[in-house]
Amino acid sequence: MLTIKEIRKVQSLEEAYELNQKKTNRIIGGMLWLKMQTGNVNIAIDLSNLKLDTIEETDSEFSIGAMVTLRDLETNAALNEYTHNAVREAVRHIVGVQFRNLATVGGSIFGRYGFSDVLTVFMALDAYVELHHAGIVPISEFAKMPYDNDVLVRIIVKKTPLACAYLSHRQTKTDFPVLAVAISHHHGKWQAVVGATPHRAAVIADENNILSGGLNTESTKKFAQYVKETVKTDSNIRGSAAYRKHLAYVLTKRALSSIGGIDA
Ligand SMILES: Cc1cc2nc3c(=O)[nH]c(=O)nc-3n(C[C@H](O)[C@H](O)[C@H](O)COP(=O)(O)OP(=O)(O)OC[C@H]3O[C@@H](n4cnc5c(N)ncnc54)[C@H](O)[C@@H]3O)c2cc1C
């Protein structure tokens, strides 16, 4: 059980950051992950007064506050139109609607969980993470950074012409993914982001230009094979390393086929 002594609704990011430097204090998002932990928290730092619960769109980007819920991501029409529903597909399997109404973007991304659908899809969008202290960093770099006591402020998705598809495989509805694949094409480059390997999501770029001649049955199979051979997988309770490699092939081929309108 988690025991919290005091909940503090902070009035500024600086106040949140300063409080968060103490090991006995914790930022709280939806508390869905935190509440499963055991221990004592002196001050639970609540960001809900900081107006970080909106998705804002300009001509050039989406700005997604740390307190936006997974349900907001799922139902935001503009974000899903831009991402060809990849964001909706990434979050819609996570537990249930009531759960997604509480789980926050900040709690989902800051944790950098190996199983994270949320991290996987935002990496495929080449998003940026705004941290109060470290500033704006590409999310693929953030994914590799060690844990520290910074405050995640928002996620920024720059708008560029984008092709994108997200697929995951689960043993049963609402369970964690056995493997997740997000394919994207922007700035003239194709990439696969593979999550739940079960390590933190990793980018596999089309460095050999397998897809640069266009999507067809041959090229999609070849890139799927490349992803299968390149991705580092391991075994855990949900599946073996070899099964995950097989899934990487299948999900990559299916995602590319759906983007290219090819029979998978
Ligand atoms: C049963 C269960 C099943 C799940 N299944 C999936 C799944 O299939 N796919 C998936 O992707 N996810 C899954 N998740 C994870 C879930 O979607 C959330 O990511 C998770 O619950 C954390 O979100 P939260 O808002 O509740 O964060 P919290 O639990 O409140 O916080 C999580 C951590 O992030 C820190 N934190 C929160 N906000 C910030 C911030 N703004 N800045 C810095 N640090 C911050 C907290 O201090 C804490 O360490 C699952 C979780 C549970 C409990």
Side-chain angles (χ1 to χ4, degrees):
M1 196 176 77
L2 194 71
T3 308
I4 296 175
K5 208 166 158 197
E6 180 192 337
I7 295 188
R8 181 94 49 97
K9 280 200 175 191
V10 291
Q11 299 308 317
S12 69
L13 284 165
E14 187 56 27
E15 186 186 352
Y17 179 78
E18 275 170 22
L19 285 172
N20 204 34
Q21 300 318 297
K22 270 209 156 179
K23 277 210 170 90
T24 47
N25 299 342
R26 289 299 283 275
I27 296 181
I28 52 171
M31 276 221 54
L32 295 159
W33 194 254
L34 270 176
K35 75 175 180 186
M36 298 197 305
Q37 299 179 1
T38 305
N40 296 309
V41 170
N42 191 27
I43 301 175
I45 308 159
D46 181 355
L47 308 178
S48 57
N49 268 354
L50 302 185
K51 298 191 169 64
L52 295 175
D53 59 347
T54 56
I55 301 177
E56 305 204 338
E57 183 187 9
T58 66
D59 287 346
S60 59
E61 65 185 36
F62 289 94
S63 168
I64 303 167
M67 293 300 281
V68 163
T69 68
L70 299 188
R71 181 69 177 160
D72 294 330
L73 293 181
E74 184 181 356
T75 56
N76 188 278
L79 184 63
N80 280 293
E81 191 185 331
Y82 172 66
T83 63
H84 307 276
N85 286 324
V87 167
R88 175 175 301 147
E89 184 56 32
V91 299
R92 76 182 176 94
H93 302 281
I94 302 175
V95 188
V97 171
Q98 293 92 332
F99 183 100
R100 298 195 293 279
N101 271 329
L102 295 173
T104 63
V105 169
S108 302
I109 298 285
F110 197 84
R112 283 157 277 185
Y113 311 110
F115 57 75
S116 182
D117 292 287
V118 189
L119 182 63
T120 306
V121 75
F122 280 110
M123 280 173 67
L125 298 175
D126 281 350
Y128 294 81
V129 171
E130 183 181 329
L131 300 161
H132 180 63
H133 186 67
I136 296 175
V137 290
I139 196 166
S140 48
E141 267 177 38
F142 177 72
K144 294 184 207 151
M145 280 160 59
Y147 292 113
D148 62 12
N149 294 340
D150 215 333
V151 183
L152 194 152
V153 182
R154 72 186 91 247
I155 304 293
I156 299 158
V157 177
K158 305 259 185 216
K159 285 194 202 166
T160 55
L162 171 79
C164 191
Y166 188 94
L167 288 173
S168 63
H169 178 77
R170 289 167 150 81
Q171 284 176 344
T172 180
K173 226 176 152 171
T174 79
D175 195 11
F176 292 101
V178 184
L179 198 90
V181 171
I183 301 285
S184 62
H185 177 261
H186 43 172
H187 307 299
K189 286 188 194 151
W190 287 98
Q191 63 180 4
V193 179
V194 189
T197 57
H199 311 291
R200 286 182 189 178
V203 177
I204 298 176
D206 182 16
E207 276 164 8
N208 301 331
N209 297 317
I210 297 168
L211 300 171
S212 55
L215 298 185
N216 53 53
T217 312
E218 274 318 298
S219 67
T220 56
K221 277 188 186 167
K222 214 171 154 194
F223 186 66
Q225 186 62 28
Y226 175 70
V227 170
K228 177 181 174 178
E229 284 163 11
T230 311
V231 69
K232 182 183 175 305
T233 58
D234 268 310
S235 306
N236 71 357
I237 186 177
R238 284 189 176 71
S240 67
Y243 179 48
R244 285 192 157 96
K245 280 204 173 255
H246 174 70
L247 287 175
Y249 176 85
V250 172
L251 296 183
T252 301
K253 188 159 81 71
R254 280 188 196 156
L256 283 170
S257 302
S258 79
I259 294 171
I262 303 159
D263 282 338

